[in-house]
Every structure is written in structure tokens, then in C-alpha cells.
């Protein structure tokens, strides 16, 4: 009995000790507790110095966490298309690791061209898995700024010209990425529509355009996608830099949208301590972009939200109210990501990720023209295919600025075609033109040599001679990701193709009528020879599986179903900023700020095309298939729409051809009479439907009062006026065959 009592006493003592220890365990470490309780517990344990530390960087891509409390470092990384290779602690130089290669996913222009939100979620989830495996807590993407001018150097990172399309694609991307416990950082908020003078441009835009065109994708990423972070842009709006812009960050983002996440500065986007404190910046990165090498010594401690902020608090010029709000947001981010113990381990370079990249590329490639059904390549009759062009052999995963990647592998278009045709058809090659042969970016060098010292005349002569005996000639041209092409930090200098490609294409068109032109770019280009070329394909920047995906479409293994996410106009002056002469803006007298007036207002893209009566080369939403579809008569489930109600339009879509394929049904709304001017039509719903030959499926498209609303800038509210509307339904913005009238009560 004595032994039993001793044992019982020992057990009770141990139990009491455990209970006491449990009572002392910080709430913030218990992920079963409510998030806000954990945040407040951690906040209450932090010193002022620790609070200051977590709101600015400690290296190129990390912040320090709170070691004393067991809160780990927080690691960010570019970019929206793949996990960027690691750099040194304080420099942009690559760290030289051998295990930081990735799958390069197609650029976001391609993703948007799929018009497939389910695929956007898969894209985000796959990217998040790669980031998680690499130990990253935040990916700097997606980019959702609007296409405004085709000269925009960063358009390839964004999702086109239409706010609804970008919103419908961005929200599932964010949800998919964050399902891994890796934060999205939606960028660049806001009005970051060109790269020239990006630190000096002050966007002068009216409220209707701001709310109707340039903010909806960001709002959807926050309200529907649940984004945990947004990145401010380099440019200014209303004379304030956007990384600490009172109206954008405090009034709209954290006020109207009730955003509970973190505002991250773009690298070097902060400019002033007081504005950063008062106007909504939460985490500061890259203020001296060369870290400890350039700028002040101990540069990280001298960031605007570091020692200068702490000294203002110590002087009594600020209390801790603003600081605590920033730290609460940062702690939420930590608990959602680096402190999330259930987020798993991720995976890297998996077969599933390569399959996702190839599927996105295949669905995003757009068949712009196919006269005489030249494509797909007739593998039963063709004996020789001539491939021409530098872009057939140039790695496109390298370059473009911060989205440049170190891909584990990249299949080039020439190799992809040779593999797909399997030796049955001879695939010859001619260089055709010489562009950028450097093949390197930020320490990543392409595994190829593109040096060629022949003259343009010699290159053209070789290509023409070979073209005369080929069954097909496929030219891979377009842009690349070099400066003044599709590249961060610079805008394009011309709308036409570089490197003398126009004359090469003209010569090849005369030599062989079976000419296919594949445009590799993120932007539209001038095509003065388009009437002489039978088939034109928009090939984007497709990442690791580029060659395979292009071969899939060209040979018919994949039936193209991509649709353009922007209007492709014939000449530069057809685009609003250039016709109106407002790009790139006007320098102020002191030469420090350049005002760029968005004079076109709400009339961007196809809205501008309708207003000006332009005929585009290829319309927004345009994209052909190797099969044919019939869109049946559309019917509405009601003729009158009451406030708070919705209306559903249904129609049959039939595959009338011989190949399986997918069609995108697009619904635009026309307001028959409005107090304020409105575009003739606006995209309000779409649905992608896959069909076997002869198959018919019923498609439903539902819209509510919000789809009929415009932003009343005088009342500062969304307003839908009672009256008559028309739903215009078809498969492209210039091919709307169905019209259904209805009335808003």
C-alpha cells in the first residue's frame, strides 16, 4: 500500500507539473486556438525592437521572425511562373546551388488564355507545392495589372485587358497556391501598366476607370481568393508612391475591402518613413537593392520601417498603434504560413507538375488563323517540315527580369516537333534571323550557343532555298525576354517585330504557300504580312514544356482551345494611349515626376474598339479550333430581374466537327440606356465546355445585379439603373450571335 501511495503521489506530481506546463505554453504556439487569439498572445510578448524587426527585411528575400519566441524566419521568392533560384544573402548574384531548379509554368498571359478557372487553381496549387518544397513562405504573384498598351514590358506576367477575366482567373490561382500554406502576394497594386519610368510615373486616372477597370482583379483576389498579401507597385497615384499610398491602401484595400493581410513593398518601392508608417505599408523589402553592398552599411537596419521608425517612436512622435496594426498583420501571415504545422512538405519537379505545365500551355495556345485548314500538320502526307527562326531554339525560361527561372529542363520548339513527328517526317531547320544571343539573366545561363555571324541576306537566302522544297514551313518568331522586348524594367520601343523578321516572313510566304507563323511573345505585334500567311498561332512563353505543347497543337494531338485575353490591333496608333498621345506621359517642370493621363478612361481594350469603330486584327476572346461548334439559341429563365436576384441564360453547344474540342461561351452585357456613358458591351460571364464529336451540352451562365452596375464616381457607389439590357452571347467579342433582352426592375 505504501508503494502504491508513493507511486500515486509521483503520478499526481507529474500530472500537476504537466498541467502547469500546459498552462504556461504560449497560446500563439497552439494552432488549435483561434487565429486572432494567437496573434494577440504573440503580440503581447514581443518587445518594440522585435516588432520593428518583423516588418522589414533581413536579407534579399527574408525577414527575421522572432527567434526568442520560436517564430521562424519568413522567406519570400519570385515569381508568378515558377520558384526563382536562390540568390546570395545580400546580393542579386545566384547562390550557385544545384538543387534549386524548378518546373517553369507558362506565363500568366497563357494561363488567362485558357479561360479555365479550374486550371488556374491547379496552376496555383502546383506552384505552391514547388514553393513549399523549397522552404518558401510567400510567392510574389500572381500579377493582375491590366493590359493597356502593347509596349508594356511586363504584360506577359499579367492576365490581359479585361477585369472580369483577370478576376475569374486570379482568385482560384490564389486559393490553389495558398492551399499549401504558402502565401500569394498579388501584384502590383495598382495601375502598374507600363515599365518605362516606373518609379516616376504618376497615374492620372478617374474613379470610374479605377474602380471598373484597374481594381476588380485585385478585389477578387482579396474578397474571393482570400489573398494573405498584396505588393504595392513602383509607380505613383494621386502624387503618392503606391507602396505607401493613403487612398489605395488605407481607404480602399484596408477600408472598403476589409483586407486583413499584409501589404509588402516592391523591392525598393518604399520612399519615406512617415508615409510608410501612416499609409498602410506593413513589410518593407529591398529598399537598398544591393543589400549591404550598396547604400548605407547595416542597410537593413536603416530601412524606412527600421531604425528611423523606432527612433520616431522613442522620440514620442508616434505611439505603437500603427506599429501594432502592422505586426498583427505580419503575425497572421506567419501563422498562416511559416507557423502552420499542418502544411506538409510539398514536391518539386514532379511528373504531375510537368503535366500541369503542359496542359496549361496546350489549353492556352491560341489558333489565330487557319486558312484552308492548313493545320494540324498532315502527318500522312507530309514528308518534310522546315522550321525557321531563332525562337525555335532559344530558351525562354531565362530572361524577363524577376520572372527569370532556372528550369530543370526546357523542351525547345524544334526539339518538340522532331520528337512528335518521330522520324516519320524529316524536320529541317534554318536560323532565318539573329536576335539576342546572350542567353543569360541574373547568373542563369542558357545551355546553348546562339552565336551566328551570317548577314540577314545570307540567313534569308538559306531559309528560302529550303522552304521551296518543304511541305510545311513553320516560322517561330516574335519577341523574347530581353530588354525592350517582354522584360521587366523596360518597355518595347516598337510595335513591329524586331530583328528584320517581317522581310524574312514576306520572303518565305512567296517561296511556300504552306506557311505557318508561330508568334512567341506576351504581347501582340504588328503583322503587315498577315494576309499572305495561311496559319498564325500565338505561342506565348510556355515554360518547361514549351516545345512539347507547341508540337501537341501543331500536330493535332491537342485541339487548340485558347482565346485571346486582349484585343490584337493592327497598328500601334489603334491603341487608346497612343492614339490619344498620353503614353508615356509628360514630365513635370522639376523632371522628378511624369504624369501619365489615362485619358481613355473606361474605354480600354475591346471597349475602345467598339467606341472607335475599329476592326482589330484579332478580337478579344478570339480563338479557333480544329473542329467546329454550333451555339444554339439562348434563353433566359426570366425577363425581369429584381434587386438582389439573378438571371440565368441557357443554351446548347454542339461539336459539329470530327475532333474532340473545347469552346468558350462568352456573355457580354449591353446597357440599352444609361445616365452615364458606358461601353457598348462588357464581359460578365463565360464558360469553357469540352465536347466529343457530335456531342451536345447545355451551358448555363448566371449574372446578378452587379453585372449590370457601373461605378458612379460622384456618389462613390456602384449603381445599376432600372431599364432594358441585352445579353450578347457568342465565342468572341466580335462574334456574338445570340441576343437576349431583359429588364432590371
Amino acid at each position: 500500500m505504501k508503494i502504491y501511495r508513493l507511486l500515486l503521489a509521483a503520478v499526481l506530481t507529474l500530472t500537476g507539473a504537466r498541467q502547469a506546463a500546459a498552462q504556461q505554453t504560449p497560446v500563439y504556439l497552439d494552432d488549435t486556438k483561434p487565429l486572432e487569439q494567437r496573434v494577440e498572445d504573440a503580440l503581447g510578448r514581443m518587445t518594440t525592437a522585435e516588432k520593428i524587426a518583423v516588418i522589414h527585411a533581413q536579407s534579399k528575400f527574408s525577414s527575421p521572425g522572432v527567434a526568442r519566441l520560436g517564430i521562424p524566419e519568413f522567406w519570400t521568392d519570385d515569381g508568378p511562373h515558377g520558384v526563382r533560384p536562390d540568390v546570395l544573402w545580400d546580393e542579386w548574384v545566384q547562390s550557385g546551388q544545384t538543387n534549386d531548379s524548378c518546373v517553369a509554368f507558362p506565363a500568366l498571359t497563357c494561363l488567362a488564355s485558357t479561360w479555365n478557372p479550374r486550371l488556374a487553381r491547379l496552376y496555383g496549387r502546383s506552384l505552391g507545392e514547388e514553393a513549399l518544397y523549397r522552404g518558401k513562405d510567400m510567392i510574389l504573384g500572381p500579377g493582375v495589372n491590366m493590359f493597356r498598351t502593347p509596349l508594356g514590358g511586363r504584360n506577359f506576367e499579367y492576365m490581359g485587358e479585361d477585369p472580369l477575366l483577370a478576376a475569374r482567373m486570379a482568385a482560384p490561382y490564389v486559393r490553389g497556391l495558398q492551399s499549401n500554406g504558402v502565401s500569394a502576394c498579388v501584384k502590383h497594386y495598382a495601375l502598374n501598366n507600363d515599365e518605362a519610368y516606373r518609379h516616376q510615373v504618376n497615374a492620372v486616372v478617374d474613379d470610374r476607370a479605377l474602380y471598373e477597370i484597374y481594381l476588380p482583379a485585385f478585389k477578387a483576389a482579396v474578397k474571393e481568393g482570400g489573398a494573405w498579401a498584396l505588393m504595392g507597385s513602383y509607380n505613383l497615384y494621386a502624387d503618392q508612391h503606391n507602396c505607401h499610398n493613403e487612398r489605395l491602401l488605407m481607404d480602399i484595400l484596408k477600408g472598403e475591402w476589409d483586407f486583413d493581410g499584409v501589404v509588402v513593398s516592391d523591392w525598393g518601392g518604399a520612399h519615406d518613413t512617415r508615409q510608410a508608417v501612416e499609409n498602410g505599408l506593413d513589410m518593407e523589402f529591398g529598399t537598398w537593392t544591393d543589400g549591404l553592398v550598396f547604400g548605407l552599411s547595416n542597410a537593413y537596419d536603416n530601412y524606412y520601417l527600421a531604425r528611423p521608425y523606432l527612433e520616431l517612436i522613442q522620440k514620442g512622435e508616434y505611439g505603437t498603434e500603427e506599429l501594432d496594426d502592422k505586426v498583427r498583420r505580419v503575425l497572421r501571415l506567419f501563422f498562416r504560413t511559416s507557423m502552420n504545422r499542418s502544411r506538409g512538405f510539398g514536391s518539386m519537379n514532379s511528373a504531375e507538375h510537368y503535366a500541369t505545365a503542359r496542359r496549361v500551355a496546350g489549353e492556352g495556345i491560341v489558333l489565330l488563323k487557319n486558312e484552308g485548314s492548313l493545320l494540324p500538320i498532315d502527318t500522312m502526307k507530309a514528308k518534310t517540315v522546315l522550321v525557321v527562326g531563332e525562337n525555335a531554339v532559344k530558351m525562354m525560361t531565362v530572361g524577363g527580369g524577376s520572372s527569370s527561372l532556372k528550369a530543370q529542363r526546357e523542351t525547345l520548339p524544334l526539339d518538340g516537333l522532331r520528337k512528335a513527328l518521330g522520324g516519320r517526317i524529316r524536320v529541317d531547320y534554318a536560323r532565318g534571323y539573329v536576335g539576342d544571343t546572350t542567353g543569360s539573366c541574373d547568373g542563369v545561363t542558357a545551355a546553348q550557343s546562339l552565336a551566328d555571324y551570317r548577314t540577314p541576306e545570307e540567313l534569308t537566302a538559306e531559309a528560302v532555298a529550303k522552304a521551296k522544297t518543304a511541305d510545311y514551313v513553320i516560322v517561330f518568331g516574335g519577341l523574347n525576354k530581353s530588354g525592350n522586348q517582354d522584360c521587366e524594367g523596360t518597355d518595347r520601343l516598337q510595335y513591329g517585330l524586331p530583328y528584320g523578321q517581317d522581310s524574312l516572313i514576306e520572303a518565305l510566304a512567296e517561296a511556300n504557300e504552306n506557311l505557318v507563323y508561330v508568334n512567341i511573345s506576351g504581347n501582340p505585334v504588328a503583322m503587315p504580312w498577315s494576309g499572305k500567311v495561311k496559319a498564325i498561332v500565338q505561342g506565348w512563353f510556355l515554360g518547361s514544356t514549351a516545345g512539347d505543347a507547341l508540337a501537341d497543337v501543331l500536330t493535332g494531338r491537342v485541339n487548340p482551345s485558347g482565346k485571346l485575353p486582349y484585343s490584337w490591333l493592327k497598328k500601334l496608333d489603334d491603341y487608346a494611349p497612343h492614339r490619344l498621345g498620353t503614353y508615356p506621359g509628360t514630365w513635370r517642370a522639376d523632371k522628378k515626376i511624369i504624369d501619365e493621363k489615362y485619358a481613355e478612361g473606361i474605354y480600354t481594350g475591346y471597349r475602345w474598339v467598339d467606341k472607335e469603330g475599329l476592326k482589330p486584327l484579332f478580337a478579344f476572346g478570339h480563338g479557333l479550333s480544329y473542329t467546329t461548334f454550333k451555339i444554339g439559341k439562348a434563353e433566359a429563365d426570366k425577363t425581369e430581374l429584381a434587386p438582389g436576384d439573378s438571371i440565368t441564360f441557357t443554351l446548347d453547344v454542339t461539336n459539329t466537327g470530327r475532333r474532340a474540342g473545347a469552346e468558350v461561351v462568352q456573355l457580354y452585357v449591353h446597357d440599352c440606356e444609361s445616365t452615364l456613358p458606358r461601353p457598348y458591351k462588357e464581359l460578365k460571364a463565360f464558360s469553357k465546355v469540352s465536347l466529343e464529336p457530335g456531342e451536345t451540352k447545355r451551358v448555363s451562365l448566371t449574372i446578378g445585379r452587379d453585372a449590370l452596375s457601373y461605378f458612379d464616381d460622384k456618389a462613390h457607389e456602384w449603381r445599376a439603373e432600372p431599364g432594358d439590357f441585352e445579353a450578347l452571347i457568342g465565342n468572341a467579342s466580335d462574334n456574338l450571335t445570340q441576343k437576349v433582352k431583359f429588364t432590371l426592375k
Side-chain angles (χ1 to χ4, degrees), residues 47 71 76 159-160 215 229 401 427 483 520 557 563 606:
T47 66
I71 298 175
T76 71
M159 297 190 186
L215 293 185
V427 179
I520 306 298
R557 180 182 178 275
K563 301 283 185 176
Y606 63 86

Side-chain angles (χ1 to χ4, degrees), residues 505-722:
I505 295 167
E506 294 267 7
L508 290 171
E510 290 185 11
N512 193 314
E513 64 177 6
N514 291 334
L515 181 62
V516 179
Y517 175 70
V518 181
N519 189 67
I520 306 298
S521 76
N523 269 305
V525 299
M527 293 183 174
W529 34 259
S530 60
K532 302 175 183 179
V533 176
K534 283 187 175 182
I536 301 176
V537 175
Q538 176 57 20
W540 311 114
F541 298 117
L542 299 179
S544 288
T545 63
D548 291 324
L550 286 164
D552 287 342
V553 169
L554 293 172
T555 62
R557 180 182 178 275
V558 168
N559 192 349
S561 61
K563 301 283 185 176
L564 283 179
Y566 48 58
S567 304
W568 195 309
L569 305 186
K570 294 178 180 178
K571 58 183 186 297
L572 185 62
D573 284 345
D574 284 346
Y575 292 91
H578 303 278
R579 177 167 290 195
L580 298 175
T582 60
Y583 170 88
T586 304
W587 286 101
R588 294 182 184 177
D590 59 7
K591 300 295 184 181
K592 294 181 180 179
I593 300 295
I594 181 170
D595 289 316
E596 185 172 355
K597 187 173 183 180
Y598 287 42
E600 69 277 11
I602 58 175
Y603 295 99
T604 62
Y606 63 86
R607 296 164 170 82
W608 171 259
V609 168
D610 289 342
K611 179 178 180 292
E612 295 295 302
L614 298 171
K615 184 173 176 56
L617 186 60
F618 303 110
F620 171 81
H622 169 77
L624 304 177
S625 171
Y626 294 149
T627 190
T628 54
F629 300 97
K630 178 183 178 182
I631 295 179
K633 183 179 180 181
E635 297 178 345
D637 65 347
K638 55 178 67 76
T639 58
E640 292 186 341
L641 179 63
D645 200 358
S646 62
I647 183 170
T648 298
F649 302 88
T650 57
L651 53 107
D652 288 335
V653 181
T654 303
N655 183 343
T656 56
R658 297 181 179 180
R659 292 174 178 265
E663 180 63 290
V664 179
V665 181
Q666 304 165 35
L667 185 153
Y668 299 75
V669 168
H670 168 63
D671 189 347
C672 297
E673 185 176 357
S674 174
T675 301
L676 294 181
R678 300 193 71 176
Y680 177 77
K681 64 176 182 286
E682 296 176 280
L683 179 71
K684 294 301 178 182
F686 61 88
S687 178
K688 191 166 193 175
V689 55
S690 298
L691 299 162
E692 295 296 320
E695 184 180 11
T696 298
K697 286 184 180 178
R698 193 81 165 158
V699 174
S700 297
L701 299 167
T702 300
I703 60 172
R705 181 186 178 92
D706 59 332
L708 312 180
S709 303
Y710 62 84
F711 189 77
D712 186 334
D713 54 343
K714 299 296 188 295
H716 194 77
E717 65 181 13
W718 288 92
R719 177 171 295 176
E721 293 181 324

